[in-house]
Amino acid sequence: MASVMNKLRNLDAYPKINDDFYSRTLSGGLITLISSIVMLILFFSELRLYLHHVTETQLRVDTSRGEKLRINFDVTFPALACSIISLDAMDISGEKHLDVRHDIVKRRLDSHGNVVETRQDGIGHTKIENPLQRHGGRLEHNETYCGSCYGAEAMMSVVIHVRKFVKLIERKVGRCQTLRSLTRYGACKREGFVQRVKDEEGEGCNIYGFLEVNKVAGSFHFVPGKTFHQSGFHLQDLLEFQEDNYNISHKVNRLAFGDYFPGVVNPLDGVQWTQEALNGMYQYFIKVVPTEYTDVKEHVIQSNQFSVTEHFEKTQVHIQSLPGVFFFYDLSPIKVIFTEQHVEFLHFLTNVCAIVGGVFTVSGIIDSFVYHGQRAIKKKMEIGKFG
């Protein structure tokens, strides 16, 4: 048994020095104090990383198909009334959503930005297809019917750029082409729209809600007037509302493609363009990047990030630019995957050992250098060779 103990004693990699041979110095004490502080700082830093999750990032090709894209928006127009703003959405697959009203809320704002009224019946104009209703066994005019101004709707301005052609259309549909003439005809009076436009004159509008669209490239836009589709053309009725100038000053309070996830940054949140004569087409070109976020509880959030560039096309004298705010979006084929995870305990233990051993070794080297340097200087001073 004694021989076994002797063999184990010979394996000791840390031979002990008799305390009588220790020499403690002031510099060694300072180095020990500083190294201990550094060691504690690094230890608590590593402990903090261990107690909190870390996020791993991966890039993969997006292979999803047939999904929907949710667009959350909150936009304020300080110089456009709610009654004259329409929201349209379309994509490259050919699907169109004109004069969107579902899942939309609009708030009338006065000149100071205070909320006058909140409506949840959507944006645009309520349109009931049947102009007649049965009452007491006979047909009478439906007072809620939004008339077409005697067929003028089908001939209203196309998304065109030539003002001369617009004036030609005005002459063809002259009976209901302006707000003043709208009040002269029964069909336009019954729809009750004229009075609403007059009531909201000088007001602004805050529009918020969401759109569910196909997960393909497309666009959505806020424009003054009423939009419709006729004979394969995208038409916009601007003439019955107002003069030629529309102030499209706006503030994007929020724009997000999908649900929120930790760390997401939406670059358009809070962007504001406010000028007294901001008349023309304001365009946002958006690149949407599909994103998947998995938290430590393995809850998966399917969302998107995006980048954006902007362009403003001002209305010119001889060129009729379609006024409004347009958002054109395209999808990236690359998907970003974020995964939250905790640091493994063995990894934490390894880092702690590396911290303790590394700091102890480096401080020992520094102490040895300082100690031997002091001794060399002292010897030279004793023999008078220092300096």
Side-chain angles (χ1 to χ4, degrees):
M1 189 64 181
S3 61
V4 173
M5 298 296 291
N6 289 331
K7 290 181 179 180
L8 289 176
R9 188 178 295 111
N10 293 332
L11 292 176
D12 185 6
Y14 310 98
K16 310 305 183 292
I17 302 175
N18 194 304
D19 292 342
D20 296 338
F21 297 97
Y22 278 131
S23 177
R24 303 183 184 276
T25 61
L26 178 61
S27 61
L30 291 175
I31 293 174
T32 301
L33 180 61
I34 294 173
S35 62
S36 299
I37 294 174
V38 172
M39 198 179 301
L40 287 175
I41 293 174
L42 294 178
F43 170 77
F44 284 112
S45 175
E46 192 66 30
L47 180 63
R48 179 176 176 274
L49 291 176
Y50 172 71
L51 295 177
H52 293 78
H53 59 265
V54 294
T55 303
E56 180 183 356
T57 305
Q58 297 180 354
L59 297 177
R60 296 180 185 175
V61 176
D62 186 15
T63 58
S64 60
R65 296 189 302 171
E67 295 184 355
K68 289 290 184 178
L69 181 64
R70 180 177 177 132
I71 306 174
N72 304 293
F73 61 87
D74 184 348
V75 185
T76 299
F77 296 89
L80 288 179
C82 290
S83 295
I84 69 172
I85 301 178
S86 292
L87 170 61
D88 307 322
M90 56 193 70
D91 57 49
I92 60 174
S93 67
E95 184 171 325
K96 298 179 177 65
H97 303 273
L98 304 181
D99 204 10
V100 178
R101 293 189 292 263
H102 298 292
D103 304 314
I104 304 297
V105 176
K106 60 181 179 180
R107 297 191 295 182
R108 294 171 54 191
L109 306 177
D110 60 18
S111 58
H112 301 288
N114 300 318
V115 178
V116 176
E117 181 186 9
T118 300
R119 296 176 182 171
Q120 297 184 356
D121 56 351
I123 301 172
H125 323 288
T126 303
K127 182 175 180 180
I128 300 176
E129 296 296 339
N130 187 6
L132 301 178
Q133 63 181 356
R134 186 170 296 278
H135 180 71
R138 59 181 180 178
L139 292 176
E140 295 181 352
H141 286 292
N142 187 346
E143 295 299 329
T144 60
Y145 167 60
C146 180
S148 62
C149 287
Y150 296 102
E153 174 183 285
M155 303 177 65
M156 285 299 176
S157 53
V158 188
V159 182
I160 55 176
H161 302 284
V162 183
R163 184 180 295 272
K164 182 177 179 181
F165 184 62
V166 174
K167 297 300 181 182
L168 176 63
I169 294 179
E170 288 182 2
R171 291 195 295 270
K172 289 182 178 292
V173 297
R175 287 181 299 178
C176 266
Q177 62 185 346
T178 63
L179 185 60
R180 292 187 298 273
S181 63
L182 281 173
T183 61
R184 301 176 186 173
Y185 301 96
C188 301
K189 289 181 180 179
R190 284 193 301 272
E191 63 189 49
F193 177 68
V194 175
Q195 187 60 41
R196 190 168 63 197
V197 173
K198 288 184 177 180
D199 293 341
E200 298 182 10
E201 186 175 357
E203 293 183 356
C205 189
N206 172 240
I207 305 168
Y208 64 93
F210 67 91
L211 295 170
E212 289 280 353
V213 297
N214 295 325
K215 195 176 180 181
V216 295
S219 68
F220 64 98
H221 49 260
F222 301 90
V223 293
K226 178 182 177 182
T227 55
F228 50 91
H229 196 70
Q230 183 73 25
S231 302
F233 292 97
H234 184 65
L235 310 178
Q236 182 177 358
D237 181 358
L238 292 174
L239 306 178
E240 64 176 274
F241 293 100
Q242 198 172 345
E243 66 278 359
D244 293 336
N245 294 325
Y246 297 88
N247 189 342
I248 61 166
S249 298
H250 61 280
K251 179 181 180 182
V252 182
N253 303 306
R254 179 173 181 260
L255 181 66
F257 291 79
D259 298 329
Y260 170 83
F261 63 90
V264 63
V265 176
N266 298 317
L268 283 181
D269 288 1
V271 171
Q272 183 173 357
W273 290 93
T274 304
Q275 297 180 13
E276 293 183 359
L278 189 60
N279 179 30
M281 178 187 294
Y282 208 100
Q283 300 169 310
Y284 295 95
F285 299 93
I286 299 171
K287 192 69 173 182
V288 180
V289 181
T291 304
E292 179 181 301
Y293 191 93
T294 305
D295 59 18
V296 291
K297 299 180 180 179
E298 298 186 353
H299 176 245
V300 179
I301 302 174
Q302 298 290 346
S303 188
N304 301 275
Q305 304 176 84
F306 67 92
S307 60
V308 62
T309 56
E310 306 168 8
H311 175 70
F312 176 65
E313 182 178 345
K314 188 176 181 180
T315 299
Q316 302 178 16
V317 177
H318 302 291
I319 302 296
Q320 180 65 37
S321 300
L322 185 65
V325 180
F326 294 75
F327 298 86
F328 301 92
Y329 57 89
D330 193 9
L331 290 157
S332 170
I334 302 299
K335 187 174 188 178
V336 181
I337 300 177
F338 296 112
T339 305
E340 285 185 354
Q341 55 187 9
H342 282 296
V343 178
E344 296 182 359
F345 178 74
L346 291 179
H347 183 71
F348 165 73
L349 191 60
T350 301
N351 289 343
V352 170
C353 292
I355 289 172
V356 174
V359 173
F360 184 79
T361 302
V362 172
S363 61
I365 294 173
I366 295 174
D367 177 67
S368 177
F369 176 78
V370 171
Y371 175 71
H372 288 92
Q374 288 178 342
R375 289 189 61 184
I377 293 173
K378 186 177 180 180
K379 287 184 178 180
K380 288 185 176 182
M381 291 180 64
E382 289 178 351
I383 62 177
K385 292 184 177 183
F386 182 74

